[in-house]
Amino acid sequence: MNFLPRRFGRFGGAAFAAFGSAVFCSSYNDRFRASVAVRIREPLQDSQWLTCPVLHDLCPQHFPLSDQSGMLALYSYKVSAAPSSSDIYKEASGAVSDGSKPHDCFGKDTIANAAAKVGPAVVNIAVPEDLFGITRGKSIGSGTIINNDGTILTAAHVVVHFHGSRGSSKGKIEVTLQDGRTFEGKVVNADQHSDIAIVKINSETPLPEAKLGSSSKLRPGDWVIAMGCPLSLQNTVTAGIVSCVDRKSSDLGFSGLPREYLQTDCAINMGNSGGPLVNMDGEVIGVNIMKVAAADGLSFSVPIDSVCKILKQFKKSGRVIRPWLGLKMLDLNEMIIAQLKKRDASFPNVSNGILVPMVTPGSPGERAGFCPGDVVIKFDGKPVERLEEVIEILGDKVGVPIKVLVKRAGDKLVTLTVIPEEANLDV
């Protein structure tokens, strides 16, 4: 698993041909009606070829941002004017839409219309790469303007070097808009563990902005598009489907804080980092951050609902505050409960809840009296069945006493009071 910037050699374009096809859509009113659209085969056009210089990768393994010495900014297409939108988000605090409207029929312009809504707000981010004080090229990423005042959402590894939990800007940030205008950007906020950052540019006139959607209702198989600047090619659109809506960081081999990603099969390459993942309504529903280097069709994005929570904390505290209890937690289901009862007949009689299999010594959880084998029934007075519910209730509460009801062996109910501490992510 590697972040998007990778090593690439020369590549070429390919010949394109149009093939005959037909689309059939039907609807019922008083009687059955049908319409058929037919596309006739056209002669093969002249082949189109595109080449670029060899790219080099001399950067660390975890955030391998590649040098693009000699790369020229190429504007591969121009997005037509998008239909007007009545509900544009004015805050970068993470407000989301009230749900997307289903499409009656997936037409030939569905993807193009969605791309046209977001395209003008997609930017190229270039950061000079220095080696012993000598500029050897630029690392390239993407971003999305989410407020017309110049607030840009991107991936943290595109613009920030991290040492422990502390980050420092990689240097002068050059932001290029779709219309060719160039601005100098400044890193306002960045969080290493979510890989989300905010960059700000100043413009005398309002800038195009993208609308934030919601990722909560996504399902495997939903169509999505990825936008950005792969291989330094400005304004590129690729399409695919959602493969998994809650891919766990542990599934990808990441240790530490649990995270969830959207998995898609959109073509994502070096330079797509920080670019938007967009639904068919032209709303941003994720931030593209990484792919599997040795496989095609395995790309990952941070869900926009998670991003919105991060943006709220940026706005409130200037950073992301993560409470720590020192408890290992596991969601229970009927199968797990049956296995635990088979091993130990004294295991509490529960139909659901959250098991605590391990308590970290010296942690807030141990001081509160938690024991391995406890089953959390209520957290802060609210019934809970999944770890996500506990995380939602915790929010950014640090130093605030929380009442927790647990059930122990022999069906003994105990109320504990735990005081969360801020997680030390450098440990």
Side-chain angles (χ1 to χ4, degrees):
M1 177 65 56
N2 286 290
F3 289 86
L4 294 183
R6 299 293 302 165
R7 177 183 303 144
F8 286 83
R10 291 186 178 272
F11 70 100
F16 300 90
F19 294 89
S21 61
V23 179
F24 181 83
C25 299
S26 65
S27 61
Y28 286 93
N29 196 348
D30 295 332
R31 63 180 61 183
F32 176 84
R33 293 182 299 176
S35 62
V36 178
V38 179
R39 182 174 301 156
I40 306 300
R41 180 188 300 270
E42 296 178 357
L44 182 66
Q45 303 298 321
D46 293 338
S47 299
Q48 301 177 15
W49 298 95
L50 181 65
T51 60
C52 74
V54 174
L55 309 181
H56 304 281
D57 183 355
L58 301 176
C59 298
Q61 177 180 358
H62 297 294
F63 294 95
L65 293 175
S66 299
D67 149 10
Q68 297 194 9
S69 178
M71 289 296 290
L72 300 176
L74 303 178
Y75 294 82
S76 55
Y77 75 90
K78 182 177 181 181
V79 175
S80 59
S84 60
S85 175
S86 60
D87 185 18
I88 299 297
Y89 287 74
K90 300 298 181 182
E91 294 293 333
S93 59
V96 298
S97 68
D98 56 356
S100 59
K101 298 180 180 179
H103 295 277
D104 295 328
C105 182
F106 193 95
K108 65 184 181 68
D109 294 330
T110 301
I111 292 177
N113 290 338
K117 291 180 180 179
V118 180
V122 178
V123 301
N124 172 275
I125 298 176
V127 183
E129 287 289 318
D130 293 334
L131 183 63
F132 303 112
I134 301 175
T135 300
R136 61 181 183 86
K138 295 180 179 180
S139 63
I140 302 295
S142 306
T144 310
I145 302 174
I146 58 174
N147 191 294
N148 60 18
D149 66 356
T151 301
I152 298 172
L153 175 64
T154 187
H157 74 266
V158 171
V159 294
V160 175
H161 284 301
F162 283 99
H163 305 281
S165 60
R166 298 181 180 181
S168 60
S169 176
K170 291 184 174 181
K172 183 179 178 181
I173 299 172
E174 184 179 279
V175 178
T176 303
L177 273 60
Q178 180 181 280
D179 58 15
R181 286 182 292 169
T182 301
F183 298 86
E184 182 174 345
K186 177 183 178 182
V187 178
V188 178
N189 301 104
D191 180 65
Q192 173 186 14
H193 294 273
S194 62
D195 200 9
I196 293 298
I198 293 295
V199 172
K200 184 72 168 60
I201 60 176
N202 296 317
S203 173
E204 296 179 355
T205 58
L207 298 172
E209 60 183 17
K211 182 177 180 179
L212 303 185
S214 174
S215 53
S216 62
K217 296 182 180 179
L218 286 175
R219 299 178 301 167
D222 281 344
W223 280 94
V224 289
I225 58 178
M227 305 181 68
C229 310
L231 301 168
S232 194
L233 300 175
Q234 292 274 24
N235 314 321
T236 300
V237 177
T238 58
I241 61 170
V242 175
S243 305
C244 180
V245 296
D246 57 352
R247 180 65 66 204
K248 303 291 190 295
S249 56
S250 56
D251 297 340
L252 306 179
F254 296 151
S255 59
L257 294 172
R259 287 157 289 176
E260 291 185 352
Y261 301 100
L262 297 174
Q263 178 184 331
T264 75
D265 69 348
C266 293
I268 294 180
N269 294 292
M270 179 186 63
N272 271 116
S273 275
L277 188 70
V278 180
N279 63 19
M280 294 300 100
D281 291 312
E283 300 167 336
V284 179
I285 46 92
V287 177
N288 303 318
I289 62 168
M290 58 185 173
K291 66 170 290 184
V292 175
D296 294 326
L298 287 174
S299 304
F300 302 92
S301 307
V302 181
I304 199 64
D305 290 353
S306 299
V307 174
C308 289
K309 295 175 183 177
I310 293 168
L311 295 182
K312 288 180 180 178
Q313 291 212 40
F314 281 164
K315 190 173 182 180
K316 179 181 178 181
S317 308
R319 59 192 177 93
V320 179
I321 298 175
R322 295 180 171 89
W324 177 64
L325 302 178
L327 303 175
K328 201 87 166 178
M329 290 184 160
L330 173 68
D331 293 349
L332 291 177
N333 56 38
E334 291 183 1
M335 182 183 68
I336 296 176
I337 292 172
Q339 290 177 340
L340 293 173
K341 291 286 286 184
K342 186 176 181 179
R343 293 181 182 179
D344 184 359
S346 66
F347 185 81
N349 292 309
V350 294
S351 58
N352 50 50
I354 305 168
L355 176 67
V356 179
M358 188 179 76
V359 181
T360 304
S363 67
E366 185 189 50
R367 292 194 294 271
F370 279 91
C371 299
D374 286 348
V375 177
V376 177
I377 306 298
K378 289 185 178 181
F379 195 87
D380 199 21
K382 302 174 183 177
V384 291
E385 298 180 4
R386 304 189 316 276
L387 177 57
E388 286 79 6
E389 295 172 333
V390 172
I391 295 174
E392 185 71 24
I393 295 170
L394 270 176
D396 60 353
K397 297 175 183 176
V398 171
V400 179
I402 296 177
K403 298 285 186 181
V404 183
L405 178 65
V406 302
K407 183 176 279 193
R408 290 179 172 169
D411 293 337
K412 182 180 179 181
L413 290 173
V414 180
T415 299
L416 307 173
T417 301
V418 63
I419 303 177
E421 297 178 357
E422 185 170 359
N424 182 2
L425 301 179
D426 291 336
V427 176

